[in-house]
Amino acid sequence: GQESGPWGTKIRALAVIARECGHAVESLDYQGMADPLARARKLVDWCRAQPAPAILVGSSMGGYVALAAASEAGAVGLFLMAPALYVPGYEAIPVPPPPGCPTTIVHGWRDDVLNWSGSARYGDLSGARVVLVPDDHRLVADLPGLHHHIVVGPALPGTLSYAELAASAAPGFTPIIADDPDQRAWLARTLADA
């Protein structure tokens, strides 16, 4: 995010899981860089220097940065948490076009920093998989199960189905997952009616 350091709560939790699966993890330090497009340029440069394409992960402004860098960086997947999309007062910062890689967006419907409607709108535009969870902007309540939402393509081996996700969740937890065009259209209509 904009205010957090390179090894905040979410990246530390997700890094453990990624490493257990045999993936290398790096978190770039954007402290002192307020411009999201400058951050995206830094991420693109870093990705191009790597020996293999990356799955980019970002939260809040970091979600915007990952999305803005994805196409040029050659990302093979995106996992965005409460990304800063369609933010009032920041209309001069363009919303990036859909990247050419599978994208999953997780957003808390109790987020009082960035409304989840931006994620749902982008999901409808881009075809991204959108998961709404009963959490706030930091997604701390969902952190223990956040990795279950990482799906960078439909029905990939080793990913959880909706039923498995719901069964693994805390009691009373029901995520809303929009991972096909009809669900995304329903979510967009729901937003328009709200």
Side-chain angles (χ1 to χ4, degrees):
Q2 180 173 3
E3 312 260 331
S4 64
W7 287 100
T9 305
K10 286 186 286 283
I11 186 61
R12 285 193 320 266
L14 292 172
V16 169
I17 292 153
R19 288 181 181 125
E20 287 172 356
C21 294
H23 299 287
V25 178
E26 183 59 52
S27 183
L28 302 185
D29 188 353
Y30 298 113
Q31 293 179 93
M33 295 179 74
D35 180 2
L37 298 177
R39 289 178 177 207
R41 170 88 292 162
K42 180 176 181 172
L43 180 56
V44 167
D45 291 344
W46 181 87
C47 287
R48 288 182 172 171
Q50 302 311 303
I55 295 173
L56 302 180
V57 177
S59 178
S60 195
M61 182 195 273
Y64 174 89
V65 169
L67 178 60
S71 291
E72 196 174 342
V76 294
L78 279 171
F79 183 65
L80 310 177
M81 297 165 283
L85 301 171
Y86 306 104
V87 179
Y90 290 90
E91 290 82 8
I93 299 174
V95 174
C101 64
T103 303
T104 296
I105 302 171
V106 176
H107 209 124
W109 66 66
R110 295 181 188 136
D111 190 332
D112 62 353
V113 176
L114 295 169
N115 193 287
W116 58 266
S117 62
S119 290
R121 180 176 170 190
Y122 193 79
D124 188 42
L125 166 79
S126 67
R129 179 175 197 260
V130 178
V131 181
L132 297 178
V133 296
D135 208 340
D136 62 18
H137 185 69
R138 294 181 58 230
L139 295 168
V140 174
D142 194 46
L143 191 57
L146 200 58
H147 67 283
H148 291 300
H149 304 303
I150 299 175
V151 177
V152 293
L156 291 175
T159 60
L160 295 176
S161 68
Y162 176 82
E164 292 167 320
L165 175 62
S168 70
F173 172 88
T174 306
I176 298 173
I177 301 176
D179 58 1
D180 71 39
D182 291 336
Q183 292 169 334
R184 286 189 293 274
W186 169 82
L187 193 54
R189 284 193 309 274
T190 301
L191 287 173
D193 294 340

